[in-house]
Amino acid sequence: MENVKHIAVLGSTGSIGTQTLDVVRAHTDKVVAEVLTANRNADLLIQQAIEFKPNAVVIADESQYQKVKDALANTDTKVFAGSKAIEQVVQFGTVDTVVTAMVGYAGLSSTIKAIEAGKNIALSNKETLVVAGELINQLVEKHKVSVTPVDSEHSAIFQCLMGEGEIEKLILTASGGPFRTKTLDELRNVTPAQALKHPNWSMGAKVTIDSASMMNKGLEVIEAHWLFGVPYDKIEVSVHPQSIIHSMVQFVDGSVKAQMGLPDMRLPIQFALSYPDRWPSDFKRMDFATQQPLTFEAPDLNKFKCLALAYRALGKGGNETAIMNAANEVAVAAFLQEKISFLGIADTIEKTMDNVAFIAKPTYADLVATDTEARAFAQSLIK
């Protein structure tokens, strides 16, 4: 089969990973799942391997290795375990595109290995650019690979910029999450169960909590800065509760382009895999006759302090965004375990940013050390 993409899906059992495989299932003549990796969901990884017959699978949780190995013993699929194995399989000669659908800082090292091996990246793991944007961009240029965004907002901007000239600003839309209309007082007592009920999107727990705190939008502002080379003061956030306009670009003549679609992550995933083409799909279409009105409002940075902290970190530069990201991952995990309050997430991040050593020009080793130090400090704040 000519012009078929051979992909590795990192995090194939998560929300983005399973939807990526929906796209593969619909376009078996255009894309092949060559490698699948999972953190600890062995049962789903086994099911996926039996259906898609990949060259290799990796289960990061080594205690699950034998279970996966035994289940796939009668297949041709190779089975590996551990995070180092993920770094190795992305370098396979049979892989040309790596879909980075792992959540959090854990996705950084394997993305770097993939770029160094000359693989194109369909980027869903926003923390890769949040932590190490400058380093990633240098590697992308050096190894002459492409990075195509999977996030719906960055995919929208990418599509709006196609064939265009000088821009004035980027406008990232945000749903506002489940707590958009709550007061600061009401936010003091919200529970993880309430925070996990996103009004528009179906996502993993960590991303859903980030959406509720608007840290997700902060991470996306940082990601947009590195993806599109736009200074942080020219990246605006607009709260758009209907999630129909996925983002906009304003140009120097005052014209604004928006990319629209129903909230379905399979759309930007498919575009990242099909670009520069568009593949047909049977995804649900918009009906403008029945579409509810589209509304926009400014985000409340007092209520959603995480977004303000992301702007602060990006403005400072260096390892500040790595500090922020590490503290956020620790704080979100603590909130989900009911060890801190919802507002405690931002407090934990801010205190960590105030106390962990700043490095203006960090190396990769510095960023790894920063992540470790920031996690330890954030953990020390959690009683």
Side-chain angles (χ1 to χ4, degrees), residues 31 48 68 230 263 288:
V31 59
Q48 291 174 342
V68 179
V230 175
F288 285 94

Side-chain angles (χ1 to χ4, degrees), residues 353-376:
M353 287 169 66
D354 288 343
N355 285 279
V356 173
F358 174 71
I359 304 169
K361 292 282 182 188
T363 62
Y364 178 63
D366 291 332
L367 293 172
V368 172
T370 293
D371 182 78
T372 303
E373 184 187 348
R375 280 172 199 276

